[in-house]
Amino acid sequence: MMIKKKLAVISINEYISEFYSKQLQVLFGKSIEIENYCFDSGTIEAGVKEDIVLISSFTIFEAVKEYVSSDAEIIIANYTLTKKGMNKINGLPKDTKAILVNINPKVCMETISLIFQLGCKNVDLIPVYPGLTDIPDISLAVTPGESRYVPDCVDKVIDIGQRIFDMSTIVDIAVKLGIDEKLGDSKIRKYFNDIVPISFGLEKVLSTNDSLNSKFEALLGIMNQGIIITNSNGLVYSYNKSAENIIGYREEIVVGCNSIKVLPEIPYSQVLRTCKPIRNHLVNINGQDIALTIAPIMNGDILNGAVAVINRFTDIEKNQHKLRQQLINKGHEAKYTFDYIRGKSNSIKNTIDIAKRMAQSNSSVLITGESGTGKELFAQAIHNESPRRSYQFVAVNCAALPENLLESELFGYEGGAFTGAKKEGKLGLFELAHRGTIFLDEIGEMPNKLQSRLLRVLQERKVMRIGGDSLIDIDVRIIAATNRDLKQLVKMKRFRNDLYFRLNVLPLKIPGLKHRKEDVLLLIDEFKKEFNTDFSLSKEAKYKFLNHSWEGNIRELKNYVEYLANLRKQIIYPKDLPFDTDLYNRSNYDLKSEEKKIIDRVMVNGNVSDYIFILQILHEGYLNRRRVGRRSISSAADERGIYLSEQEIRKMLLKLEIYGMVIINKGRGGTKITDFGITVFNHLKEVKV
């Protein structure tokens, strides 16, 4: 009685596991027994007992490791297409544009990469998947068996068939299960004949008689992949620079030695014994996780040796991460470095020095400072100075989104998790920031429920999507920022004490402009370049700038420079300035003659009632602890029978900000009324009455 060999097939969801299992069952028949595991259904949580494990993708390798035995042999699947399917694409005219339709963004990206890898370069493929709103106006669609998702606007559909296992994966499974005699069966021979082999280039070069001549040595020298070649007795005679960089062993230690002794982790002996390749094998050498493929070097029936092609596993993961970033096209990046932070004051120099040292750590950073001091600028600079600079910088404003939307943005969701959810689900920002940095701006505004979830992420380094039942490992550095007193919020029970201490590992306080007066004139010159203006400040005007209190900090200064640039005057005098220094140096706003002059200046040529209305809406937002945007003000005006367009509201808000009555935040941060604005509002109400 023949004993069935057992194989575990692991993937994200059941559909994928079952599809791959059917492929293998058709090829190997009753010779193997397959057990399916997937993350979506939670079947993997009980552990994987099988000794041979097939993983559907590199992307889930780290998550799979904790569920399989340390002795298990892992195979990571390699895919290809049928020759029939590829011929359909290769037959298209050069420079053809087509959409590539598949079930989700990730699979679209993988399919496009595969088609390109198989040699098809005559077609420009644009990914399209369910839920995508901006469909390109292209009449031709290519799809691997997913015609049901093709948009109605497409005139012609080319179905190239589902992605299937490459012969390297089939051979690897057969060898590891000890049923390599099945590779001679007619079904498998026909299967190999019908598919496009994905890894033929290097093996073809290595199999030629002149594979070790000077041209080939030059090729090895410029390859990013590590190449290690042995003779038929297992002695290493070629070891390129990339291999040295990946493994860390010097060439003189390896070349000329027996591979079994110097590189026991690489199974050369098995390849030299069986003359069969081993593909996508994962090993750990000198503390590095390495993905490798080994192939015999044959000259006819004569074995000349073996070649190993190696890559750092992290490099493979990084390349996939970059491809995913391009496909998702979220625009999450850090544009600014420390070179963009201008200043000669000791306070800003010390802050930059501390931030640079913090950049080398993986600990959480809490940036505090008044509004307008440049907290996000520092966050981006820290990311770009850190070892995570090659990965994404994901920024989210915790005050700009309602609680339910903020939760789905941060943690993502599974398909059908709630009404309106996309069928394929959504990647959360924590997942998108894997290996990179996530910047949580205005962290003090985060709702209590989400504070609890964030604390778990910091403690466990895992996230669970909304509607999901499995944890996803993430490696993310958190930088948070706030202009509020978190200690006070903790005392008021509005911010979790344990979360505060988790975030405040590396505290960084950004000095306000009033504490770095020597930088004011320098910053004015920088903003003048930005606005392409060349005005000069009179001695008295410089004095006014240097003695201003700068409640709105650098953002306020930039607004003033823009205002002065639009005056188109060569010399700026105190009467041209949109503020009165003496007003801002006082701790309270008892309206006096100077302040009344400012109010008159703001209200000139304007409807006082409209300004009162806008300040009232902003004051209500202040009392209810919410930011108010132009749309909110416009909607409130409609409800009360006041006609104000968003453009008119924008102009009035800009004017109010110039005179220190409001602070306009970037993006969806809305507008906040200042103490001076509240005083003006109360004064105008009394006057109006």
Coordinates of all heavy atoms in Angstrom, one line a residue, residues 577-647:
L577 N 2.6 97.4 7.4 CA 2.5 96.1 8.0 C 1.1 95.7 8.4 O 0.4 96.6 8.9 CB 3.4 96.0 9.2 CG 4.9 96.2 9.0 CD1 5.7 96.2 10.3 CD2 5.5 95.2 8.0
P578 N 0.7 94.5 8.3 CA -0.7 94.1 8.6 C -0.9 93.7 10.1 O -1.8 92.9 10.5 CB -0.9 92.9 7.7 CG 0.4 92.2 7.6 CD 1.4 93.4 7.7
F579 N 0.0 94.2 11.0 CA -0.2 93.9 12.4 C 0.4 95.1 13.2 O 1.2 95.9 12.7 CB 0.5 92.6 12.8 CG 2.0 92.6 12.6 CD1 2.9 93.1 13.5 CD2 2.5 92.1 11.4 CE1 4.3 93.1 13.3 CE2 3.9 92.1 11.2 CZ 4.8 92.6 12.1
D580 N 0.0 95.1 14.5 CA 0.6 96.1 15.4 C 1.3 95.4 16.5 O 0.7 94.6 17.3 CB -0.6 97.0 16.0 CG 0.0 98.1 16.8 OD1 0.9 97.9 17.6 OD2 -0.6 99.2 16.7
T581 N 2.6 95.5 16.6 CA 3.4 94.8 17.5 C 3.0 94.9 19.0 O 2.9 93.9 19.7 CB 4.9 95.2 17.5 OG1 5.3 95.1 16.1 CG2 5.8 94.4 18.3
D582 N 2.6 96.1 19.4 CA 2.2 96.3 20.8 C 1.1 95.5 21.2 O 0.9 95.0 22.3 CB 1.9 97.8 21.0 CG 3.2 98.7 20.9 OD1 4.3 98.1 21.0 OD2 3.0 99.8 20.5
L583 N 0.1 95.2 20.3 CA -1.1 94.5 20.6 C -0.7 93.0 21.0 O -1.2 92.5 22.0 CB -2.0 94.4 19.4 CG -2.8 95.6 19.1 CD1 -3.6 95.4 17.8 CD2 -3.8 95.9 20.2
Y584 N 0.3 92.4 20.3 CA 0.5 91.0 20.5 C 1.5 90.8 21.6 O 1.7 89.6 22.0 CB 1.1 90.4 19.2 CG 0.1 90.3 18.1 CD1 -0.2 91.4 17.3 CD2 -0.6 89.1 17.9 CE1 -1.2 91.2 16.3 CE2 -1.6 89.0 17.0 CZ -1.9 90.0 16.1 OH -2.8 89.9 15.2
N585 N 2.0 91.8 22.2 CA 2.9 91.6 23.3 C 2.2 91.6 24.7 O 2.7 91.4 25.7 CB 4.0 92.7 23.4 CG 5.1 92.5 22.3 OD1 5.3 91.4 21.9 ND2 5.7 93.6 21.9
R586 N 0.9 91.9 24.6 CA 0.1 91.9 25.9 C -0.5 90.5 26.1 O -0.8 89.8 25.2 CB -1.0 92.9 25.8 CG -0.5 94.4 25.7 CD -1.5 95.3 26.2 NE -2.8 95.1 25.6 CZ -3.2 95.7 24.4 NH1 -2.3 96.5 23.8 NH2 -4.4 95.5 23.9
S587 N -0.7 90.2 27.4 CA -1.2 88.8 27.7 C -2.7 88.7 27.6 O -3.2 87.7 27.6 CB -0.8 88.5 29.2 OG -1.3 89.5 30.1
N588 N -3.4 89.9 27.5 CA -4.8 89.8 27.3 C -5.2 90.8 26.3 O -4.5 91.7 25.9 CB -5.6 90.0 28.6 CG -5.2 91.3 29.3 OD1 -5.5 92.3 28.8 ND2 -4.6 91.2 30.5
Y589 N -6.5 90.8 25.9 CA -6.9 91.6 24.8 C -8.0 92.6 25.3 O -9.2 92.4 24.9 CB -7.4 90.8 23.6 CG -6.3 90.1 22.9 CD1 -6.1 88.7 23.0 CD2 -5.5 90.8 22.0 CE1 -5.1 88.1 22.4 CE2 -4.5 90.2 21.4 CZ -4.3 88.8 21.5 OH -3.2 88.2 20.8
D590 N -7.7 93.5 26.1 CA -8.6 94.6 26.5 C -8.7 95.5 25.3 O -7.7 96.1 25.0 CB -8.2 95.3 27.7 CG -8.2 94.4 28.9 OD1 -9.0 93.5 29.0 OD2 -7.2 94.5 29.7
L591 N -9.8 95.6 24.6 CA -9.9 96.4 23.4 C -9.5 97.9 23.7 O -10.2 98.5 24.5 CB -11.2 96.3 22.7 CG -11.4 95.0 21.9 CD1 -12.8 95.0 21.3 CD2 -10.4 95.0 20.8
K592 N -8.5 98.3 23.0 CA -8.1 99.7 23.1 C -8.1 100.4 21.8 O -8.5 99.7 20.8 CB -6.8 99.9 23.8 CG -6.8 99.3 25.3 CD -5.5 99.5 26.0 CE -5.6 99.0 27.4 NZ -4.3 99.1 28.1
S593 N -7.7 101.6 21.7 CA -7.9 102.3 20.4 C -7.1 101.6 19.3 O -7.6 101.5 18.1 CB -7.4 103.7 20.6 OG -6.0 103.7 21.0
E594 N -5.9 101.1 19.6 CA -5.1 100.4 18.5 C -5.9 99.2 17.9 O -5.9 98.9 16.7 CB -3.7 100.0 19.0 CG -2.9 101.2 19.5 CD -3.1 101.4 21.0 OE1 -4.1 100.9 21.5 OE2 -2.2 102.2 21.5
E595 N -6.5 98.4 18.9 CA -7.2 97.2 18.4 C -8.4 97.6 17.7 O -8.8 96.9 16.7 CB -7.5 96.4 19.7 CG -6.2 95.8 20.3 CD -6.5 95.2 21.7 OE1 -7.4 95.7 22.4 OE2 -5.8 94.3 22.1
K596 N -9.1 98.6 18.1 CA -10.3 99.1 17.3 C -9.9 99.5 15.9 O -10.7 99.3 15.0 CB -11.0 100.2 18.1 CG -11.6 99.7 19.4 CD -12.2 100.9 20.2 CE -12.8 100.4 21.5 NZ -13.4 101.5 22.3
K597 N -8.7 100.1 15.8 CA -8.2 100.5 14.5 C -8.0 99.2 13.6 O -8.3 99.2 12.4 CB -6.9 101.2 14.6 CG -7.0 102.6 15.1 CD -5.7 103.3 15.2 CE -5.8 104.7 15.8 NZ -4.5 105.3 16.0
I598 N -7.5 98.2 14.2 CA -7.3 96.9 13.5 C -8.6 96.4 13.0 O -8.8 95.9 11.9 CB -6.6 95.9 14.3 CG1 -5.1 96.2 14.4 CG2 -6.7 94.5 13.7 CD1 -4.2 95.2 15.0
I599 N -9.6 96.4 13.9 CA -11.0 95.9 13.6 C -11.5 96.7 12.4 O -12.1 96.1 11.5 CB -11.9 95.9 14.8 CG1 -11.4 94.9 15.9 CG2 -13.3 95.5 14.4 CD1 -12.1 95.0 17.2
D600 N -11.4 98.0 12.5 CA -11.9 98.8 11.4 C -11.2 98.5 10.1 O -11.8 98.5 9.0 CB -11.7 100.3 11.8 CG -12.5 100.8 12.9 OD1 -13.6 100.1 13.2 OD2 -12.2 101.8 13.6
R601 N -9.9 98.2 10.2 CA -9.1 97.9 9.0 C -9.6 96.6 8.4 O -9.7 96.4 7.1 CB -7.6 97.8 9.3 CG -6.7 97.9 8.1 CD -5.3 97.7 8.5 NE -4.9 98.7 9.5 CZ -3.7 98.6 10.1 NH1 -2.8 97.7 9.8 NH2 -3.4 99.5 11.1
V602 N -9.9 95.6 9.2 CA -10.4 94.3 8.7 C -11.8 94.5 8.1 O -12.1 93.9 7.0 CB -10.5 93.3 9.9 CG1 -11.2 92.0 9.4 CG2 -9.1 93.0 10.4
M603 N -12.6 95.3 8.7 CA -14.0 95.3 8.3 C -14.3 96.3 7.1 O -15.4 96.4 6.6 CB -14.9 95.8 9.5 CG -14.8 94.8 10.7 SD -15.1 93.1 10.3 CE -14.5 92.3 11.7
V604 N -13.2 97.1 6.8 CA -13.4 98.1 5.7 C -13.9 97.3 4.4 O -13.3 96.3 4.1 CB -12.1 98.9 5.5 CG1 -11.0 98.0 4.9 CG2 -12.4 100.1 4.5
N605 N -14.8 97.9 3.7 CA -15.4 97.4 2.5 C -16.0 96.0 2.7 O -16.1 95.2 1.7 CB -14.3 97.3 1.4 CG -13.8 98.7 1.0 OD1 -14.5 99.6 1.0 ND2 -12.5 98.7 0.7
G606 N -16.3 95.6 3.9 CA -16.9 94.3 4.2 C -18.1 94.4 5.0 O -18.4 95.4 5.6
N607 N -18.9 93.4 4.9 CA -20.2 93.3 5.7 C -19.8 92.8 7.1 O -19.4 91.7 7.3 CB -21.2 92.4 5.0 CG -22.5 92.5 5.6 OD1 -22.7 92.7 6.8 ND2 -23.6 92.4 4.8
V608 N -20.0 93.7 8.1 CA -19.7 93.4 9.5 C -20.4 92.1 9.9 O -19.9 91.3 10.6 CB -19.9 94.5 10.4 CG1 -19.6 94.1 11.9 CG2 -19.0 95.7 10.0
S609 N -21.7 92.0 9.5 CA -22.5 90.9 9.9 C -22.0 89.6 9.4 O -22.0 88.6 10.1 CB -24.0 91.1 9.3 OG -24.6 92.2 9.8
D610 N -21.4 89.6 8.2 CA -20.7 88.4 7.6 C -19.5 88.0 8.5 O -19.3 86.8 8.8 CB -20.3 88.6 6.2 CG -21.5 88.7 5.2 OD1 -22.6 88.3 5.7 OD2 -21.3 89.2 4.1
Y611 N -18.7 88.9 8.9 CA -17.6 88.6 9.7 C -18.0 88.1 11.1 O -17.4 87.2 11.7 CB -16.7 89.9 9.9 CG -15.8 90.1 8.7 CD1 -16.1 91.1 7.8 CD2 -14.6 89.4 8.6 CE1 -15.2 91.3 6.7 CE2 -13.8 89.6 7.5 CZ -14.1 90.6 6.6 OH -13.2 90.8 5.5
I612 N -19.1 88.7 11.7 CA -19.6 88.3 13.0 C -20.1 86.8 12.8 O -19.8 86.0 13.7 CB -20.7 89.2 13.4 CG1 -20.2 90.6 13.8 CG2 -21.4 88.5 14.6 CD1 -21.2 91.6 14.2
F613 N -20.8 86.5 11.7 CA -21.3 85.2 11.5 C -20.1 84.2 11.4 O -20.2 83.1 12.1 CB -22.1 85.1 10.2 CG -22.4 83.7 9.7 CD1 -23.3 83.0 10.4 CD2 -21.7 83.2 8.6 CE1 -23.6 81.7 10.0 CE2 -22.0 81.9 8.2 CZ -22.9 81.1 8.9
I614 N -19.1 84.5 10.6 CA -18.0 83.5 10.5 C -17.3 83.3 11.9 O -17.0 82.2 12.3 CB -16.9 84.1 9.5 CG1 -17.6 83.9 8.1 CG2 -15.6 83.3 9.5 CD1 -16.7 84.5 7.0
L615 N -17.0 84.4 12.6 CA -16.4 84.3 13.9 C -17.3 83.5 14.9 O -16.8 82.7 15.7 CB -16.1 85.7 14.5 CG -14.9 86.4 13.8 CD1 -14.9 87.9 14.3 CD2 -13.6 85.7 14.0
Q616 N -18.6 83.6 14.7 CA -19.5 82.9 15.6 C -19.4 81.4 15.3 O -19.4 80.6 16.3 CB -21.0 83.4 15.4 CG -22.0 82.6 16.2 CD -23.4 83.1 15.9 OE1 -23.6 84.0 15.1 NE2 -24.4 82.4 16.4
I617 N -19.4 81.0 14.1 CA -19.3 79.6 13.7 C -18.0 79.0 14.2 O -17.9 77.9 14.8 CB -19.4 79.4 12.2 CG1 -20.8 79.8 11.7 CG2 -19.2 77.9 11.8 CD1 -22.0 79.1 12.3
L618 N -16.9 79.8 14.1 CA -15.6 79.3 14.5 C -15.6 79.2 16.1 O -15.0 78.3 16.6 CB -14.5 80.2 14.1 CG -14.3 80.3 12.5 CD1 -13.3 81.3 12.2 CD2 -13.8 78.9 12.1
H619 N -16.2 80.2 16.7 CA -16.3 80.1 18.2 C -17.1 78.9 18.7 O -16.7 78.3 19.7 CB -16.9 81.4 18.7 CG -16.9 81.6 20.2 ND1 -18.0 81.8 21.0 CD2 -15.8 81.5 21.1 CE1 -17.6 81.8 22.3 NE2 -16.3 81.7 22.3
E620 N -18.2 78.6 18.0 CA -19.0 77.4 18.4 C -18.1 76.1 18.2 O -18.1 75.2 19.0 CB -20.2 77.3 17.5 CG -21.2 78.4 17.8 CD -22.4 78.4 16.8 OE1 -22.3 77.6 15.8 OE2 -23.3 79.2 16.9
G621 N -17.3 76.1 17.1 CA -16.4 75.0 16.9 C -15.4 74.9 18.0 O -15.0 73.8 18.5
Y622 N -14.9 76.0 18.5 CA -13.9 76.1 19.6 C -14.5 75.5 20.8 O -13.9 74.7 21.5 CB -13.4 77.5 19.8 CG -12.6 77.7 21.0 CD1 -11.3 77.4 21.0 CD2 -13.2 78.2 22.2 CE1 -10.5 77.6 22.2 CE2 -12.4 78.4 23.3 CZ -11.1 78.1 23.3 OH -10.3 78.3 24.4
L623 N -15.7 75.9 21.1 CA -16.4 75.4 22.4 C -16.7 73.9 22.3 O -16.7 73.2 23.3 CB -17.7 76.2 22.6 CG -17.5 77.7 22.9 CD1 -18.9 78.3 23.0 CD2 -16.8 77.9 24.2
N624 N -16.9 73.4 21.1 CA -17.3 72.0 20.9 C -16.0 71.1 20.5 O -16.2 70.0 20.2 CB -18.3 71.8 19.8 CG -19.7 72.4 20.2 OD1 -20.1 72.2 21.3 ND2 -20.3 73.1 19.3
R625 N -14.8 71.8 20.6 CA -13.6 71.1 20.3 C -13.6 70.4 19.0 O -13.2 69.3 18.8 CB -13.3 70.0 21.4 CG -13.0 70.6 22.8 CD -12.7 69.5 23.8 NE -11.4 68.9 23.4 CZ -11.2 67.7 22.9 NH1 -12.2 67.0 22.6 NH2 -10.0 67.3 22.6
R626 N -14.0 71.2 17.9 CA -13.9 70.7 16.6 C -13.4 71.8 15.6 O -13.7 72.9 15.9 CB -15.2 70.1 16.1 CG -16.3 71.1 16.1 CD -17.7 70.5 15.6 NE -18.8 71.5 15.7 CZ -19.0 72.3 14.7 NH1 -18.3 72.3 13.6 NH2 -20.0 73.1 14.8
R627 N -12.7 71.3 14.6 CA -12.2 72.3 13.6 C -13.3 72.5 12.6 O -14.1 71.6 12.3 CB -10.9 71.8 12.9 CG -9.8 71.5 13.9 CD -9.3 72.9 14.5 NE -8.4 72.7 15.6 CZ -7.0 72.5 15.4 NH1 -6.5 72.5 14.2 NH2 -6.3 72.4 16.5
V628 N -13.3 73.7 12.1 CA -14.4 74.1 11.1 C -13.7 74.5 9.8 O -12.8 75.3 9.8 CB -15.2 75.3 11.6 CG1 -16.3 75.6 10.6 CG2 -15.8 74.9 13.0
G629 N -14.2 73.9 8.7 CA -13.7 74.2 7.4 C -14.6 75.2 6.6 O -15.7 75.5 7.0
R630 N -14.2 75.6 5.4 CA -15.0 76.5 4.6 C -16.3 75.9 4.2 O -17.4 76.6 4.2 CB -14.2 76.9 3.3 CG -13.0 77.7 3.5 CD -12.5 78.4 2.3 NE -12.3 77.4 1.2 CZ -11.2 76.8 0.9 NH1 -10.1 76.9 1.8 NH2 -11.0 76.0 -0.1
R631 N -16.3 74.6 3.9 CA -17.6 74.0 3.5 C -18.6 74.0 4.7 O -19.8 74.2 4.5 CB -17.4 72.5 3.1 CG -16.7 72.5 1.7 CD -16.6 71.1 1.2 NE -15.9 71.0 -0.1 CZ -15.6 69.9 -0.7 NH1 -16.0 68.7 -0.2 NH2 -15.0 69.9 -1.9
S632 N -18.1 73.8 5.9 CA -19.0 73.8 7.1 C -19.6 75.2 7.3 O -20.8 75.3 7.6 CB -18.2 73.4 8.3 OG -17.7 72.1 8.2
I633 N -18.8 76.2 7.1 CA -19.3 77.6 7.2 C -20.3 77.9 6.2 O -21.3 78.5 6.4 CB -18.1 78.6 7.2 CG1 -17.1 78.3 8.4 CG2 -18.6 80.0 7.2 CD1 -15.8 79.2 8.3
S634 N -20.0 77.4 4.9 CA -20.9 77.7 3.8 C -22.3 77.0 4.0 O -23.3 77.6 3.8 CB -20.3 77.2 2.5 OG -21.1 77.4 1.4
S635 N -22.2 75.7 4.6 CA -23.5 75.0 4.8 C -24.3 75.7 5.9 O -25.5 75.8 5.8 CB -23.1 73.6 5.3 OG -22.5 72.9 4.2
A636 N -23.6 76.2 7.0 CA -24.2 76.9 8.1 C -24.9 78.2 7.6 O -26.0 78.6 8.0 CB -23.3 77.2 9.2
A637 N -24.2 78.8 6.6 CA -24.7 80.1 6.1 C -26.0 79.8 5.3 O -27.0 80.5 5.4 CB -23.7 80.7 5.2
D638 N -26.0 78.7 4.5 CA -27.2 78.4 3.7 C -28.4 78.1 4.7 O -29.5 78.5 4.4 CB -26.9 77.1 2.9 CG -26.0 77.4 1.7 OD1 -25.9 78.6 1.4 OD2 -25.4 76.5 1.2
E639 N -28.1 77.4 5.8 CA -29.2 77.0 6.7 C -29.8 78.3 7.4 O -31.0 78.3 7.7 CB -28.6 76.1 7.8 CG -28.2 74.7 7.3 CD -27.5 73.9 8.4 OE1 -27.4 74.4 9.5 OE2 -27.2 72.7 8.1
R640 N -29.0 79.3 7.5 CA -29.5 80.5 8.2 C -29.8 81.6 7.2 O -30.0 82.8 7.6 CB -28.4 81.0 9.2 CG -28.0 80.0 10.2 CD -27.0 80.5 11.2 NE -26.4 79.3 11.9 CZ -25.6 79.4 13.0 NH1 -25.4 80.6 13.5 NH2 -25.2 78.4 13.6
G641 N -29.9 81.3 5.9 CA -30.4 82.2 4.9 C -29.3 83.3 4.6 O -29.7 84.4 4.2
I642 N -28.1 83.0 4.8 CA -27.0 84.0 4.5 C -26.3 83.5 3.3 O -25.8 82.3 3.2 CB -26.0 84.1 5.7 CG1 -26.7 84.5 7.0 CG2 -24.9 85.0 5.4 CD1 -25.8 84.5 8.2
Y643 N -26.1 84.3 2.3 CA -25.5 83.9 1.1 C -24.0 84.3 1.1 O -23.6 85.4 1.1 CB -26.1 84.5 -0.2 CG -25.3 84.0 -1.4 CD1 -25.5 82.7 -1.9 CD2 -24.5 84.9 -2.1 CE1 -24.8 82.3 -3.0 CE2 -23.7 84.5 -3.2 CZ -23.9 83.2 -3.7 OH -23.2 82.8 -4.7
L644 N -23.1 83.2 1.2 CA -21.7 83.4 1.2 C -21.1 82.3 0.4 O -21.3 81.1 0.8 CB -21.1 83.4 2.6 CG -21.2 84.7 3.5 CD1 -20.7 84.5 4.9 CD2 -20.4 85.8 2.8
S645 N -20.4 82.6 -0.7 CA -19.7 81.5 -1.5 C -18.5 81.0 -0.7 O -17.9 81.8 0.1 CB -19.4 82.0 -2.9 OG -18.4 83.0 -2.8
E646 N -18.0 79.9 -1.1 CA -16.8 79.4 -0.4 C -15.6 80.3 -0.8 O -14.7 80.5 0.1 CB -16.5 77.9 -0.9 CG -17.4 76.9 -0.3 CD -16.9 75.5 -0.5 OE1 -15.6 75.3 -0.6 OE2 -17.7 74.6 -0.6
Q647 N -15.6 80.9 -2.0 CA -14.5 81.8 -2.3 C -14.5 83.0 -1.5 O -13.5 83.5 -1.0 CB -14.6 82.2 -3.8 CG -13.5 83.0 -4.3 CD -12.2 82.3 -4.3 OE1 -12.1 81.1 -4.3 NE2 -11.1 83.0 -4.2

